[in-house]
Amino acid sequence: MASRLYTILQGSPVVAASTVTLLPTGLPGTKGALRRMVHPDSTNFPEIVYYLNPTRTVNFSTDFLPTPITEVVRTLTSSRLVRFEELAEDVIVQEIWEPSGGFSMPLFMFQQLKEYAINPPAFSSTTQTFINWEPRDRTSDVWKVQVLDAAIPSVRMYQSDGGPNDPNVTGTIDTPTDSMDTSPTALLDQPVTVTMRLVEKV
Amino acid sequence: MALNGQDIELHLAIPGGTLNDPQPDPNDSLGGPMASTTVEEVESTVTSAGDEHQFTDNTQTSTSHVGKWLLFVTGVAAMEALRIETHDTGTGKMTFEGEFLTAPQVGDVYRIFNTSSLFEPATAAQAAQGFTSYRLIFVENATGDTLVNFRAYLQPLDRGRVTYRIAMSDEQFIGGAVGVLSDETEEPNLNDADFRQSQRQFWRTPRSFAQAAGSTPFDTSNNLNNNRRIPIWVERTVAPLSQGFEASAWLLILEAASATGGGAGPWRTGIVLTDEITGFTPSLVVSFDRTPRTAGGARMTVTLTDALSGAPIANESVTIELVAPSPGSLAGETGLVTDEAGQVSFVYHAPDDEAEVGTSVQIQASIGGDP
């Protein structure tokens, strides 16, 4: 066997980096803190810290607000109150962003919320996981929720084409062909509603 | 004597040197004296006849560096171009794919040459603009006999964006200043019509040969005389806008019908001329889809494009790193390969710690380099 000589070229890697500075979220239970959602699939879904909190929150204050079903029925001598209590899992919470100063939220935030809504955790009969919802501006509690929808109720179906004829969008969309792109800077001028069902407190 | 391919020697040119000076770098083969150093790198003798032949190189530990080869085979068996099919890094055994035109016989000797050494890989800039370069090699008949009907021609194996032409020159190119190129882009002093590309345009005698018949490497019957040398110019043309295309492979075939001393024929050997084209000038961009907040996260996208054309580059492995002392963690950042859009994505999770507000987060992506 003859000797051999291979020239092995040392590759030079191509490197690029990006640097950002962390912005504040606010401590749980602190006025002004931003709300947060955490998807159990942390590999594919980054946590959502609301760019801004909703202007209205329905059926939730510092805790869920049940709406018991009551009925007053007549008895032979008087009347009685029949009351059916509502548990947390019976409560549907809505977060509503109303246009303030002409816009309700940035399009990218809506797209983040929509992404959670259309990608619920996979069903499991034994180890079901849920999205965690943290209304930090109201309480330090964390709730397991099922996000039912993130929608713009004023239009029957939201479809952002990003073009000049899109009634829901003002400003410029960086990637017009991808409505779920989360980097656009456009602003929504319609109310946005996130509807979620409470499951239990974490 | 029997026709033995071992006696058909392949040499490189060495500009500015003296005859038979060693020339270890084929990329400097731009005319001048004939170097004594061939481009031989591995030699193996057939110990059992068969269509599979193994070379052993225990010092080679990674196949990633041994992609394509220039192959020169000596032996009574002729073969087509071969490429490495498998490489057992433990034993060093390499098995080649390709066809033996005649079955290897015990005692045959094969030599392998590194293909990328005759021409350097075309850079992305060369591939974008188009690039023509030249090399000179010498074939020497050291069989002791006259090679009957000797000829050389090119045969495309894998057509790509690279084409070759060859031209035979004369022995004036050996040992003197005649025909020495100042750089690889200088065209040899030959007529354009001297270059041949297809199999039908084979070379038997140099068209520009000026010496009297009988004193040339060839006799009047197109036979290559013993102990004579033929310079062969190899012209490589990389077509414009070739970046991103696969390599081309052409076979330079040297062929003789027989040898006057009784050597059996036909005899044939080949040099595989393959091309590595640097497919792109990589441009990496790392982007956050949002400015992360504490307790928040961000979807990260790394986009790989060709800086020259802007086209996305798919199927490239990307390595991701959260540069220390950046806080937080990454998810889904391993084993990433760019998609058709040239992108990979993963997730950054910021720490749920307000003390980290204002802290810089740096995420780095890299491609290439040694594995």
Side-chain angles (χ1 to χ4, degrees):
Chain A
M1 190 66 59
S3 62
R4 44 75 59 209
L5 175 64
Y6 292 109
T7 300
I8 299 175
L9 299 176
Q10 177 77 29
S12 299
V14 177
V15 179
S18 182
T19 304
V20 295
T21 301
L22 288 179
L23 300 175
T25 297
L27 295 173
T30 304
K31 184 178 180 181
L34 295 171
R35 297 185 184 182
R36 178 181 188 237
M37 277 191 185
V38 182
H39 199 288
D41 181 1
S42 62
T43 300
N44 293 304
F45 299 99
E47 301 86 344
I48 298 175
V49 174
Y50 292 4
Y51 180 81
L52 45 80
N53 286 336
T55 53
R56 292 190 187 189
T57 304
V58 178
N59 291 339
F60 195 93
S61 177
T62 56
D63 204 341
F64 72 95
L65 300 176
T67 308
I69 299 173
T70 59
E71 186 72 34
V72 178
V73 295
R74 294 294 301 271
T75 63
L76 289 176
T77 57
S78 180
S79 62
R80 290 290 185 184
L81 175 65
V82 180
R83 178 184 172 106
F84 298 93
E85 297 297 338
E86 227 179 16
L87 305 177
E89 62 191 40
D90 299 319
V91 174
I92 301 297
V93 173
Q94 281 193 320
E95 294 181 309
I96 302 171
W97 287 261
E98 298 167 307
S100 174
F103 76 96
S104 55
M105 68 167 57
L107 177 60
F108 73 81
M109 179 180 169
F110 173 73
Q111 290 169 331
Q112 292 170 12
L113 295 168
K114 190 72 175 178
E115 185 178 60
Y116 269 39
I118 64 177
N119 291 286
F123 172 76
S124 170
S125 60
T126 55
T127 58
Q128 181 64 54
T129 57
F130 296 94
I131 291 171
N132 283 354
W133 176 59
E134 301 179 22
R136 290 188 168 203
D137 58 328
R138 301 284 182 90
T139 175
S140 59
D141 293 338
V142 178
W143 286 84
K144 294 180 181 178
V145 299
Q146 290 175 309
V147 179
L148 305 181
D149 199 7
I152 302 175
S154 56
V155 291
R156 289 178 59 85
M157 181 178 69
Y158 179 81
Q159 181 179 0
S160 170
D161 60 10
N165 298 325
D166 189 332
N168 305 301
V169 176
T170 59
T172 302
I173 290 184
D174 295 335
T175 312
T177 57
D178 187 356
S179 63
M180 290 307 292
D181 187 283
T182 51
S183 61
T185 56
L187 304 174
L188 295 180
D189 58 4
Q190 300 292 316
V192 174
T193 300
V194 170
T195 307
M196 66 187 92
R197 171 180 176 260
L198 298 181
V199 177
E200 62 179 351
K201 193 181 295 184
V202 176
Chain B
M1 62 179 290
L3 175 58
N4 191 325
Q6 293 183 67
D7 295 322
I8 310 297
E9 297 183 358
L10 182 67
H11 300 265
L12 298 169
I14 178 169
T18 58
L19 192 63
N20 294 332
D21 270 355
Q23 167 58 293
D25 186 357
N27 283 311
D28 288 334
S29 186
L30 302 178
M34 186 179 74
S36 59
T37 305
T38 67
V39 288
E40 171 189 357
E41 293 197 349
V42 173
E43 179 176 301
S44 182
T45 302
V46 175
T47 55
S48 61
D51 287 338
E52 182 180 276
H53 186 54
Q54 290 185 332
F55 293 81
T56 301
D57 176 16
N58 289 306
T59 61
Q60 187 70 28
T61 57
S62 172
T63 56
S64 63
H65 300 292
V66 190
K68 299 180 177 67
W69 293 68
L70 178 147
L71 185 78
F72 184 67
V73 180
T74 64
V76 296
M79 60 169 54
E80 295 283 4
L82 303 184
R83 291 176 179 171
I84 292 178
E85 186 174 47
T86 62
H87 181 204
D88 185 335
T89 55
T91 64
K93 288 184 178 180
M94 291 171 283
T95 302
F96 294 81
E97 60 176 346
E99 293 184 7
F100 287 86
L101 300 181
T102 55
Q105 301 299 311
V106 174
D108 285 354
V109 177
Y110 297 84
R111 292 174 181 169
I112 300 177
F113 302 84
N114 192 338
T115 182
S116 60
S117 57
L118 190 58
F119 286 93
E120 292 172 321
T123 65
Q126 292 170 343
Q129 299 166 8
F131 185 70
T132 299
S133 54
Y134 298 90
R135 298 286 186 271
L136 181 63
I137 58 177
F138 296 103
V139 179
E140 182 172 13
N141 177 11
T143 62
D145 297 317
T146 298
L147 292 176
V148 178
N149 275 335
F150 185 87
R151 63 180 187 172
Y153 56 90
L154 288 167
Q155 177 180 333
L157 299 175
D158 294 329
R159 285 190 180 275
R161 299 279 291 176
V162 177
T163 54
Y164 289 92
R165 298 195 305 171
I166 58 170
M168 281 189 184
S169 189
D170 59 46
E171 286 181 312
Q172 294 179 46
F173 280 67
I174 304 174
V178 177
V180 177
L181 305 182
S182 58
D183 61 61
E184 64 175 335
T185 63
E186 180 186 354
E187 189 173 353
N189 187 23
L190 298 170
N191 296 324
D192 187 68
D194 290 336
F195 284 93
R196 295 288 185 264
Q197 187 172 74
S198 71
Q199 184 172 358
R200 293 178 180 176
Q201 295 177 310
F202 59 84
W203 269 114
R204 278 189 169 141
T205 56
R207 174 176 293 194
S208 61
F209 202 72
Q211 296 176 0
S215 64
T216 74
F218 292 89
D219 66 16
T220 55
S221 300
N222 299 322
N223 304 324
L224 180 60
N225 291 321
N226 180 47
N227 200 30
R228 301 307 292 263
R229 297 164 293 204
I230 312 166
I232 296 180
W233 287 99
V234 182
E235 176 194 74
R236 181 187 70 169
T237 300
V238 180
L241 301 178
S242 294
Q243 66 270 30
F245 282 82
E246 290 296 324
S248 300
W250 290 54
L251 191 63
L252 169 58
I253 295 177
L254 308 173
E255 192 177 78
S258 61
T260 55
W267 170 89
R268 181 186 295 159
T269 191
I271 303 169
V272 181
L273 304 166
T274 56
D275 273 285
E276 302 287 349
I277 298 177
T278 302
F280 52 87
T281 300
S283 172
L284 268 180
V285 175
V286 182
S287 57
F288 291 78
D289 75 334
R290 69 200 79 166
T291 302
R293 295 177 176 273
T294 55
R299 175 168 288 112
M300 306 295 304
T301 303
V302 176
T303 304
L304 174 62
T305 57
D306 177 8
L308 294 174
S309 66
I313 307 300
N315 301 319
E316 290 291 329
S317 295
V318 180
T319 303
I320 306 296
E321 179 185 358
L322 181 62
V323 180
S326 302
S329 62
L330 301 177
E333 81 282 17
T334 58
L336 297 177
V337 178
T338 54
D339 60 15
E340 290 301 315
Q343 292 184 328
V344 298
S345 62
F346 55 98
V347 171
Y348 167 72
H349 299 289
D352 189 358
D353 182 358
E354 287 297 291
E356 297 287 1
V357 172
T359 304
S360 292
V361 176
Q362 185 177 35
I363 295 177
Q364 175 179 291
S366 62
I367 64 166
D370 252 12

